[in-house]
Amino acid sequence: MSELTLEQLRTIMTECAGAADGVAPEDDIRDIEFGLLGYDSIALLETAARLERDYGISFEDEAVGQVRTPRALLDLVNNALADAA
């Protein structure tokens, strides 16, 4: 896989932690903070673990803890995918 898309991330987040609160599937959530979407740190860690497992990448724990938005998580994942390629 060369790049994780927002739609793929949204699907994984929903499978790991449920749908975002008050957000329609077509809404652009890239710059909305996870807390405002209804995702806590545990949901984010579950999502990160799933991404690591499914895509064969790894993150440092503190890197995941600093991610505040889906855009930042996409950047983290896509940088890891590029490094692994």
Side-chain angles (χ1 to χ4, degrees):
M1 162 161 285
S2 60
E3 183 175 75
L4 180 70
T5 66
L6 179 61
E7 294 313 312
Q8 291 166 319
L9 177 60
R10 186 190 304 257
T11 298
I12 290 169
M13 290 172 58
T14 300
E15 290 171 357
C16 289
D21 293 338
V23 177
E26 67 276 3
D27 289 348
D28 185 352
I29 61 169
R30 284 183 193 107
D31 296 316
I32 302 173
E33 290 192 17
F34 286 115
L36 295 174
L37 293 170
Y39 296 112
D40 61 13
S41 59
I42 292 176
L44 185 56
L45 288 174
E46 286 183 34
T47 300
R50 166 84 179 270
L51 290 164
E52 288 178 323
R53 183 183 72 239
D54 288 0
Y55 295 100
I57 55 177
S58 62
F59 311 113
E60 293 188 24
D61 289 339
E62 55 271 357
V64 174
Q66 294 174 353
V67 170
R68 299 285 178 248
T69 64
R71 181 184 303 275
L73 184 54
L74 282 169
D75 289 345
L76 183 67
V77 170
N78 288 326
N79 287 335
L81 287 169
D83 289 347

